[in-house]
Amino acid sequence: MAEFVVPEAVPVRLSRADTAVVVVDMQNDFCHPKGSLFVPTSPETIPRIRSLLDKFRRSGARVFYTQDWHGKDDPEFSIWGVHALEGTWGAEIVDELKPFPGEVVVKKLRYDGFYGTAFDHYLSMHGVKNLVVVGTVANICVLHTAGSAALRWIKIFVPVDCVSALTEFDLKAAFRQITFLYRGTLTRSDLVEIA
Ligand code: ZN
């Protein structure tokens, strides 16, 4: 069997008119050491995501968020335990990445940010053809949301320094699916240009 080598992160130039970024699940339960499903490498992605968002906001490109959001008897708790419980501190987006007024936060029930949400509607309404996907967990909600966008023929771009997972293998597995299956592009926060 051939060994998978993660493709190199490449520079990308995107137009503000048809590009958006989605910040996936950067919530206290995943990104804060006191969170119930803490991803230890997620805090180091926060300043990089922040600088990427600054670029998007400066250019006028759209910024979206997903927020994992469960009721108290959600069946997902049988897999992961209680997390992102609606209305709790754990479900809140981390302070450093709080959405700006007017930015859409898509509350989601499953790994896929499109499932049962209005995300599709927002992207098509604004003519989004390129979606930059950042956040956590790389092989779970980031991958499912990126994949779901790609299935709709939206081009996906994933800055490798802005995603995090529980293991190196999980991270690589996500990069494999993003590039091989969904034909997405791996880039880096400092290599994304938006104008
Ligand atoms: Zn969940």
Side-chain angles (χ1 to χ4, degrees), residues 68 70 76 83:
D68 212 31
H70 300 292
E76 222 185 70
H83 66 280

Side-chain angles (χ1 to χ4, degrees), residues 97-190:
L97 297 174
K98 284 277 183 264
F100 281 21
E103 292 174 350
V104 171
V105 179
V106 175
K107 288 184 163 63
K108 69 181 189 38
L109 290 157
R110 294 297 273 136
Y111 310 148
D112 175 1
F114 289 83
Y115 172 80
T117 73
F119 194 30
D120 208 359
H121 167 77
Y122 287 115
L123 296 183
S124 58
M125 186 169 69
H126 296 299
V128 174
K129 297 191 168 60
N130 306 299
L131 188 63
V132 177
V133 189
V134 300
T136 207
V137 179
N139 59 312
I140 308 176
C141 295
V142 170
L143 176 63
H144 277 83
T145 300
S148 205
L151 292 176
R152 292 164 166 81
W153 299 113
I154 294 168
K155 283 195 178 130
I156 54 172
F157 299 83
V158 176
V160 295
D161 59 335
C162 296
V163 294
S164 48
L166 290 169
T167 70
E168 194 62 34
F169 173 81
D170 291 345
L171 198 61
K172 279 192 175 180
F175 292 154
R176 166 69 170 171
Q177 296 299 72
I178 285 161
T179 55
F180 177 74
L181 185 60
Y182 297 121
R183 302 290 147 157
T185 302
L186 298 182
T187 181
R188 220 172 46 219
S189 55
D190 60 314

